[in-house]
């Protein structure tokens, strides 16, 4: 004996129609967190010293020690360069993005202070 709610073909068709109306991300869809993981490992390999990574399947971020934040959203990596212009790169190419990000690193690090010759006193003695 079966329950009428469990084996009702009309309710099954109604559930299928409702499921078709609800928009869901496909199983093979873009995942920002996985792209950021790949970028994080690429930056580690290039010694750009990433500091932090976080996010979800929709939006994720990598932060570096030099103050650069790289966002991943809608299938692209997004960051601002030193001059303030926005740069985008496809998230399917984390090694290419790491190569573009790496040259920015030396611009953020302060140069070492130049060494001067020893300072001589300007005191003059009467001869």
């Amino acid at each position: 004996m079966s329950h009428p709610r469990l084996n009702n073909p009309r309710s099954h068709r109604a559930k299928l129609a409702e499921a078709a109306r609800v928009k869901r991300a496909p199983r093979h869809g873009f995942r920002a967190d996985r792209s950021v993981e790949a970028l994080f490992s690429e930056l580690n390999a290039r010694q750009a010293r990433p500091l932090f990574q976080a996010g979800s399947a929709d939006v994720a971020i990598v932060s570096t020690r030099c103050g650069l934040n790289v966002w991943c959203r809608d299938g692209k990596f997004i960051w601002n360069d030193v001059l303030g212009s926005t740069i985008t790169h496809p998230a399917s190419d984390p090694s290419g993005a790491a190569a573009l990000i790496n040259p920015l690193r030396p611009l953020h690090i302060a140069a070492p202070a130049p060494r001067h010759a020893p300072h001589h006193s300007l005191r003059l003695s009467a001869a």
Side-chain angles (χ1 to χ4, degrees):
M1 183 172 179
S2 65
H3 195 277
R5 287 188 197 163
L6 295 177
N7 294 327
N8 186 349
R10 282 182 279 162
S11 67
H12 179 68
R13 275 183 263 148
K15 288 179 185 176
L16 287 177
E18 182 183 352
R21 286 191 306 262
V22 175
K23 293 191 176 188
R24 294 187 179 104
R27 291 180 189 257
H28 56 79
F30 171 73
R31 301 229 6 175
D33 53 351
R34 291 187 182 159
S35 296
V36 162
E37 286 176 19
L39 179 64
F40 191 84
S41 63
E42 285 289 330
L43 289 174
N44 254 342
R46 295 176 186 266
Q47 296 184 354
R49 296 171 32 168
L51 178 66
F52 178 75
Q53 86 180 39
S56 66
D58 297 329
V59 178
I61 185 171
V62 170
S63 182
T64 62
R65 293 178 195 243
C66 59
L68 180 69
N69 296 324
V70 181
W71 292 87
C72 185
R73 175 179 68 212
D74 298 331
K76 350 177 223 193
F77 292 117
I78 304 165
W79 69 91
N80 290 333
D81 66 355
V82 177
L83 302 175
S85 60
T86 303
I87 299 174
T88 60
H89 191 78
S92 60
D93 182 23
S95 60
L100 290 173
I101 292 168
N102 201 27
L104 298 177
R105 188 174 66 89
L107 297 175
H108 292 285
I109 298 173
R115 293 188 177 181
H116 297 290
H119 180 62
H120 296 287
S121 175
L122 294 177
R123 291 187 207 163
L124 298 173
S125 60

